[in-house]
Amino acid sequence: MNPLAPIGTAVFGLLAEIGRLAWFTRDALLQGLTPRIYFGQILRQLFRIGYSSLPVVGLTAFFTGGALALQIYLGSSRFNAESLVASIVALGITRELGPVLAGLMVAGRVGASIAAELGTMKVTEQIDALVTLSTNPFKYLVGPRLVAAVISLPLLVAVGDTIGIFGGYFVGTRSLDFNAYAYLKNTADFLKLDDVTSGLIKAAVFGFIIALMGCYHGFNSRGGAQGVGRATTNAVVSAAILILAANFLLTSLLFKVE
Amino acid sequence: MRAAPHILLKDVKKSFGPKQVLNGVDLAVPKGRSLVVIGGSGTGKSVLIKCILGLLRPDSGTIEVAGENAIGLKGDERERFLARFGMLFQGAALFDSLPVWENVAFGLIQGRRMERGRARDIAIAKLGQVGLAADVGRLYPAELSGGMQKRVGLARAIAADPEIIFFDEPTTGLDPIMADVINNLIVDCVKRLGATAVSITHDMASARKIADDIAMIHRGRIIWQGAARDVDRSGNDHVEQFIHGRAEGPIQMDVLKA
């Protein structure tokens, strides 16, 4: 057997997967986001993706803000720059950690749930049943999840940013003896609108990635329970990798180094 | 002169990779008749139905329903085409997230945009036709037995009074008594609607009960078609072996060769 054959097979397999994903994305945009719009489904998904993710995103942001405050304090105290703690916590949370951690947490919680639900619908022929009932699955299942995720993630990140900064404030004022007023003033003075909006733009992109990966892997699951399990894992892993890759790309685009 | 067939397939071929599943299917179903397609597992029965419904696209051949081409339909044209059909899936394929009445009314509400109250009344009436009480409508599919799920699936298939109904293995997984109940319901519903019915099964008791005509599919071809009353004197070795469930015969030899 040719020793290069497995490499060739893997490369062709990867290219075929990229092609299938591109085709699915095209269908998701052209069919899923054009009328008929299922507003009831969008509301239901907003609740599931957005509201139900609030606790996990909030807790993650709070502890990350607190840990960030501690680390920056310890680092900056080496060169007497402790006063930077409040501003760097705010910057780190709003620009990077808020959207990325919220994206990864929601990918684990919601991406897996979407893939498992749609995967089960696929293997039990419920998606075929939708078609026979004159309902386009892209409009009924994919479109509402994409819309809800793109709306929910920026809202979740906005809440997460606030809680994350509060986490830093909590640790700063309780453990590091910062003055409460000075901490908040430092944060407010240093933070710019662009810092927040850049994080929200990232969050919207991450929301699209999470819903797309969940739907794609769910729609393409095969072979019963094992197939659904594989689809769920693939949805979370692919969404996490794409979120981190997209974060790098968006950071490069939004914050050009002069 | 015989009337034009309601469903007509000519030389339909479908393969998945190297596996040729349908290998030139020719089939004609007259209007108002009940045709049962029998055949072993993996002979292409489900693929045949999915090709007629447009869930799968055949590689070649023609499919006509009421004289109109049924291949490659899109958008509104496809929705209008699918509105002709009702389908009972093998595992019922009920939507887990919806109560029973909404499952039955789904095609009316989403497909035909009927007002919910009116659709609910029709759903309850259809549940009554398959022997289920109105209060079953409030339950969720997971709360029903296999036989009840099949009945709900049947109610959903006939909810919009379709002109053509497909039954995919309607008695699989049911005990003989419940299987006979489902068979009686199928016969009753099809007669009441005056619909054309195509069923696929390997259950000969079911086939004898619900069929006006029987066709046998083997290796992706229709190898025999005739009136149900003639199936015991088909003169075809494959049919003989299948209807008597014999281990010896041409079909097993084919399997062993494969």
Side-chain angles (χ1 to χ4, degrees):
Chain A
M1 189 182 137
N2 186 341
L4 295 177
I7 299 171
T9 306
V11 170
F12 279 120
L14 179 66
L15 291 174
E17 187 71 12
I18 291 170
R20 279 192 292 271
L21 176 59
W23 203 255
F24 185 88
T25 308
R26 168 189 166 276
D27 285 342
L29 294 173
L30 293 181
Q31 294 184 48
L33 301 181
T34 52
R36 178 184 182 190
I37 306 292
Y38 290 91
F39 291 104
Q41 287 298 310
I42 292 174
L43 283 176
R44 187 177 297 181
Q45 295 306 323
L46 278 172
F47 181 83
R48 287 181 58 189
I49 297 172
Y51 182 75
S52 301
S53 298
L54 267 174
V56 70
V57 170
L59 284 170
T60 305
F62 180 82
F63 291 121
T64 304
L68 201 57
L70 280 175
Q71 288 286 16
I72 293 167
Y73 179 81
L74 293 171
S76 58
S77 63
R78 292 176 192 170
F79 40 91
N80 297 322
E82 294 93 333
S83 60
L84 291 175
V85 168
S87 47
I88 296 180
V89 165
L91 208 63
I93 290 284
T94 53
R95 284 188 173 194
E96 283 297 321
L97 292 173
V100 170
L101 289 177
L104 293 176
M105 296 308 285
V106 175
R109 209 190 79 81
V110 173
S113 156
I114 292 174
E117 184 184 12
L118 299 190
T120 305
M121 289 185 75
K122 173 74 177 176
V123 300
T124 56
E125 295 186 305
Q126 291 178 52
I127 292 179
D128 285 345
L130 274 179
V131 176
T132 65
L133 294 164
S134 301
T135 303
N136 184 330
F138 278 94
K139 293 189 191 302
Y140 188 75
L141 298 174
V142 178
R145 282 164 175 78
L146 285 176
V147 171
V150 169
I151 293 172
S152 295
L153 257 289
L155 295 175
L156 283 169
V157 167
V159 174
D161 285 352
T162 310
I163 296 174
I165 289 170
F166 175 74
Y169 165 85
F170 186 81
V171 170
T173 53
R174 298 296 170 100
S175 303
L176 308 176
D177 292 331
F178 278 99
N179 176 275
Y181 173 77
Y183 190 99
L184 289 176
K185 189 169 185 315
N186 252 346
T187 302
D189 286 349
F190 193 78
L191 205 58
K192 291 180 185 165
L193 185 63
D194 286 354
D195 299 325
V196 179
T197 52
S198 64
L200 301 185
I201 291 168
K202 285 180 176 182
V205 174
F206 298 164
F208 182 80
I209 289 170
I210 292 165
L212 186 72
M213 287 299 105
C215 292
Y216 172 73
H217 289 287
F219 263 56
N220 287 288
S221 66
R222 301 261 186 285
Q226 198 177 20
V228 175
R230 200 165 38 239
T232 306
T233 307
N234 289 342
V236 175
V237 171
S238 57
I241 291 170
L242 286 176
I243 282 171
L244 295 173
N247 181 55
F248 172 71
L249 193 68
L250 287 168
T251 302
S252 309
L253 289 172
L254 294 168
F255 304 102
K256 289 211 166 66
V257 179
E258 298 293 326
Chain B
M1 194 179 91
R2 294 190 68 173
H6 204 182
I7 302 171
L8 180 65
L9 284 80
K10 282 185 188 166
D11 197 26
V12 173
K13 294 181 180 173
K14 176 70 185 173
S15 59
F16 297 95
K19 186 173 170 57
Q20 187 84 34
V21 179
L22 299 183
N23 195 17
V25 169
D26 294 303
L27 192 66
V29 189
K31 190 173 174 61
R33 299 282 286 182
S34 175
L35 172 79
V36 172
V37 180
I38 58 172
S41 301
T43 50
K45 301 191 298 294
S46 294
V47 173
L48 177 68
I49 278 189
K50 287 183 177 178
C51 282
I52 299 172
L53 281 168
L55 296 172
L56 293 171
R57 192 186 175 107
D59 300 331
S60 63
T62 61
I63 300 175
E64 291 179 7
V65 174
E68 293 175 22
N69 169 49
I71 298 175
L73 301 177
K74 286 183 179 161
D76 291 345
E77 201 180 15
R78 189 172 187 214
E79 279 191 23
R80 274 198 301 278
F81 171 77
L82 287 167
R84 296 167 176 265
F85 294 91
M87 168 102 184
L88 171 60
F89 286 85
Q90 184 172 348
L94 302 178
F95 305 126
D96 308 316
S97 57
L98 300 178
V100 163
W101 80 264
E102 262 194 89
N103 264 281
V104 177
F106 192 92
L108 301 173
I109 296 170
Q110 306 297 351
R112 303 194 176 191
R113 303 180 193 198
M114 189 182 284
E115 187 264 322
R116 282 174 71 86
R118 197 170 147 229
R120 186 188 171 108
D121 291 342
I122 293 173
I124 298 297
K126 295 294 178 183
L127 285 171
Q129 285 180 21
V130 298
L132 293 173
D135 57 357
V136 173
R138 289 197 300 273
L139 302 176
Y140 281 82
E143 299 174 272
L144 305 178
S145 68
M148 288 172 87
Q149 288 188 7
K150 279 276 165 80
R151 289 190 198 209
V152 175
L154 180 56
R156 185 173 70 182
I158 62 170
D161 295 337
E163 60 184 84
I164 300 166
I165 313 178
F166 288 146
F167 301 99
D168 184 358
E169 307 277 8
T171 56
T172 297
L174 301 179
D175 66 72
I177 298 170
M178 182 52 74
D180 202 44
V181 170
I182 295 292
N183 287 335
N184 288 337
L185 287 170
I186 288 173
V187 172
D188 183 49
C189 292
V190 170
K191 279 193 179 154
R192 188 180 302 165
L193 292 172
T196 303
V198 178
S199 313
I200 56 177
T201 186
H202 48 243
D203 175 358
M204 279 313 298
S206 177
R208 289 176 197 279
K209 189 110 188 192
I210 63 182
D212 296 321
D213 302 301
I214 291 178
M216 176 152 175
I217 188 168
H218 180 63
R219 289 197 151 189
R221 286 173 184 272
I222 301 294
I223 57 167
W224 183 83
Q225 183 172 1
R229 62 180 176 276
D230 295 333
V231 74
D232 290 312
R233 45 180 185 276
S234 65
N236 183 301
D237 292 343
H238 291 78
V239 176
E240 286 286 314
Q241 184 191 353
F242 187 86
I243 65 174
H244 293 108
R246 293 188 193 118
E248 293 79 25
I251 295 175
Q252 189 186 23
M253 285 171 68
D254 290 348
V255 171
L256 286 174
K257 277 180 198 167

